[in-house]
Amino acid sequence: MAGDGFGFPVESQAVSVKKKTVATTTTTTKKKNTVVSRSWVSLDHEGRTTVLDVDKYAIMQRVQINARDLRLLDPLLSYPSTILGRESVIVLNLEHIKSIITADEVLLRDPMDENVVPIVEELQRRLPSTNSLYQGQGEEEEPSTTQNELAENEFPFEFRALEVALEAICSFLDARTRELETDTYPALDELTSKISSRNLDRVRKLKSAMTRLTNRVQKVRDELEQLLDDDDDMAELYLSRKVAGTPESGSGTPIWFLASPKDYSKMSKTSRASAITFRGENDVEELEMLLEAYFMQIEGTLNKLITLREYIDDTEDYINIQLDNHRNQLIQLELFLSSGTVCLSIYSLVTAIFGMNIPYTWKEDHEHVFKWVVILTGIVCATIYVSLSSYARSKGLVGS
């Protein structure tokens, strides 16, 4: 084997270098996997997107948000679902939706994520204002009065973005719930028909998944309920009102009407039915109706999960009843076997006595005695067995 100038084999050095290279590559890969993505996407009033690759300090300067609120959007930290209204932004942390909403811009984290891509597409479609859809079509096609009405009925920008996020998270959780129902109900039915280790393990995994999903839905529901219970928190979400300033109470100038574009969600159509005018900085009925609509939707999803849990509990009770019935049958079998064993023991005792090598005075002239003793002993043992069985049935210890 060839060596170098220091007396070490060349092949050993090559293997050592190769091992170090592999170790370095593995360490680098692990570090890349733990690095937090700095990718953000920005969407403006017209739905135009701009991908940003910046750190948290640039985001803090861009939207004027403090580090404590920005930590809520860190994917490496586990925070509950949150909707926070600050001076100039709305901090939104709902499952995979981690967003910062301002009065004229939406920042969404990890835009390349498969669950976030549909939200970006929906924001591009829904963020453009209603009256801007008619720009470029010419004034002859759309009268100015109609454009003025659309401007009055325009939904605030931050609420359009918030509605997209709420609709996305409610639809996402509802879809996960339907998938869980599709897998769970057949598994429970199969378990009731055949109790096996495979079916029990399958139901156990589904029950664990249901518990985790219930906790996720409960967090979103609690956040919406907490927001609806506090008018001051809802007033903090009116970013456009803060920017434009609140009109005087006697001016009679309407702030916003509820919008009615066709592509709004079903729940928003319910909210738009009344078309109420809101005045004053403490009027939060517009946002309250929006939140209530999605609160009812997430409440319906939670009710589905509660119904599914009740069905699982009922199945568990039914299985326990079946197991108790099998256990009772085994106890009955054990009772009959014990009774038979006692009778056979008596019969064996008599046989053992006559089989002993002991001289009897009546043994020579009474050969027929053994035959009658055996017969009578069998009759007595059978009578004892029947008596024990009848007593057990009369006391209800065994089935009829």
Side-chain angles (χ1 to χ4, degrees):
M1 182 181 295
D4 59 359
F6 298 94
F8 293 102
V10 176
E11 294 182 1
S12 299
Q13 288 183 348
V15 172
S16 177
V17 171
K18 185 176 181 181
K19 288 182 178 180
K20 290 181 179 179
T21 305
V22 172
T24 305
T25 305
T26 305
T27 305
T28 305
T29 305
K30 290 182 180 180
K31 289 182 179 180
K32 288 183 178 179
N33 292 334
T34 57
V35 171
V36 180
S37 175
R38 305 195 313 170
S39 180
W40 294 74
V41 61
S42 171
L43 297 98
D44 59 8
H45 273 282
E46 304 301 327
R48 292 187 296 264
T49 60
T50 304
V51 178
L52 306 174
D53 187 11
V54 295
D55 57 9
K56 62 180 181 180
Y57 301 104
I59 295 295
M60 291 168 58
Q61 295 178 357
R62 182 184 181 94
V63 297
Q64 300 300 315
I65 186 175
N66 56 48
R68 181 185 61 185
D69 294 333
L70 190 59
R71 282 174 60 87
L72 297 174
L73 307 181
D74 193 336
L76 297 181
L77 301 178
S78 178
Y79 284 99
S81 298
T82 306
I83 302 176
L84 290 178
R86 291 296 184 250
E87 183 64 27
S88 58
V89 298
I90 298 175
V91 181
L92 196 67
N93 178 24
L94 298 174
E95 294 287 329
H96 54 275
I97 304 176
K98 302 181 184 299
S99 174
I100 300 175
I101 303 173
T102 67
D104 54 3
E105 182 185 26
V106 178
L107 291 174
L108 198 63
R109 187 155 203 165
D110 297 334
M112 297 296 107
D113 187 87
E114 59 179 3
N115 294 322
V116 181
V117 171
I119 302 173
V120 176
E121 296 175 353
E122 189 67 14
L123 286 171
Q124 291 175 339
R125 188 176 68 88
R126 301 265 287 273
L127 283 183
S129 58
T130 306
N131 56 346
S132 66
L133 298 177
Y134 296 98
Q135 293 180 358
Q137 297 181 2
E139 297 181 357
E140 298 178 356
E141 298 180 7
E142 187 66 25
S144 58
T145 56
T146 305
Q147 293 184 5
N148 294 334
E149 292 176 358
L150 291 173
E152 287 181 352
N153 295 334
E154 183 58 51
F155 214 42
F157 173 82
E158 64 272 17
F159 290 171
R160 296 202 303 273
L162 180 62
E163 184 180 17
V164 172
L166 291 176
E167 181 180 357
I169 194 63
C170 290
S171 301
F172 176 80
L173 294 175
D174 188 65
R176 300 290 83 75
T177 302
R178 290 197 301 268
E179 292 176 0
L180 188 62
E181 287 179 332
T182 303
D183 296 335
T184 303
Y185 284 116
L188 293 175
D189 295 337
E190 185 177 354
L191 180 62
T192 54
S193 61
K194 181 181 179 182
I195 301 175
S196 63
S197 300
R198 174 181 172 274
N199 292 336
L200 287 172
D201 184 66
R202 181 184 176 190
V203 172
R204 179 188 62 81
K205 293 179 180 178
L206 290 173
K207 186 176 180 180
S208 300
M210 184 204 65
T211 302
R212 292 192 297 269
L213 182 59
T214 302
N215 293 334
R216 294 162 61 186
V217 174
Q218 186 70 45
K219 289 178 182 178
V220 177
R221 178 198 173 278
D222 291 344
E223 179 61 25
L224 291 178
E225 184 179 22
Q226 182 179 358
L227 195 60
L228 285 168
D229 290 341
D230 196 331
D231 290 347
D232 293 336
D233 289 344
M234 285 191 288
E236 289 293 327
L237 302 183
Y238 281 78
L239 304 181
S240 299
R241 178 184 294 175
K242 296 176 183 178
V243 173
T246 305
E248 296 180 0
S249 59
S251 62
T253 304
I255 295 180
W256 291 305
F257 288 88
L258 208 56
S260 57
K262 293 182 180 180
D263 58 356
Y264 272 16
S265 67
K266 221 187 317 183
M267 307 309 295
S268 294
K269 290 179 181 178
T270 305
S271 303
R272 295 194 299 268
S274 57
I276 302 173
T277 306
F278 305 100
R279 294 184 176 89
E281 62 179 4
N282 294 325
D283 291 331
V284 294
E285 190 172 356
E286 181 181 31
L287 178 59
E288 185 177 3
M289 288 190 297
L290 174 65
L291 295 177
E292 281 181 352
Y294 290 101
F295 176 80
M296 295 299 296
Q297 185 174 348
I298 201 69
E299 182 78 12
T301 303
L302 184 61
N303 289 335
K304 290 181 183 179
L305 292 171
I306 293 175
T307 303
L308 183 60
R309 175 179 288 277
E310 292 176 352
Y311 191 81
I312 292 177
D313 293 339
D314 293 341
T315 304
E316 289 180 350
D317 294 338
Y318 175 73
I319 291 173
N320 290 331
I321 292 173
Q322 280 189 326
L323 294 176
D324 291 340
N325 183 42
H326 293 325
R327 192 179 299 110
N328 292 335
Q329 291 177 353
L330 291 175
I331 293 173
Q332 293 178 16
L333 179 60
E334 183 181 1
L335 177 61
F336 287 123
L337 291 176
S338 300
S339 301
T341 302
V342 171
C343 297
L344 288 175
S345 299
I346 297 174
Y347 193 82
S348 299
L349 176 62
V350 176
T351 306
I353 292 174
F354 278 91
M356 289 182 181
N357 191 15
I358 300 175
Y360 297 98
T361 57
W362 47 266
K363 190 174 183 181
E364 297 178 356
D365 299 330
H366 303 82
E367 293 83 0
H368 60 282
V369 174
F370 179 77
K371 177 179 67 175
W372 288 106
V373 170
V374 171
I375 293 173
L376 290 176
T377 304
I379 293 173
V380 171
C381 291
T383 303
I384 294 174
Y385 180 78
V386 172
S387 300
L388 291 174
S389 300
S390 301
Y391 178 79
R393 285 192 172 90
S394 63
K395 294 298 183 180
L397 300 178
V398 295
S400 57

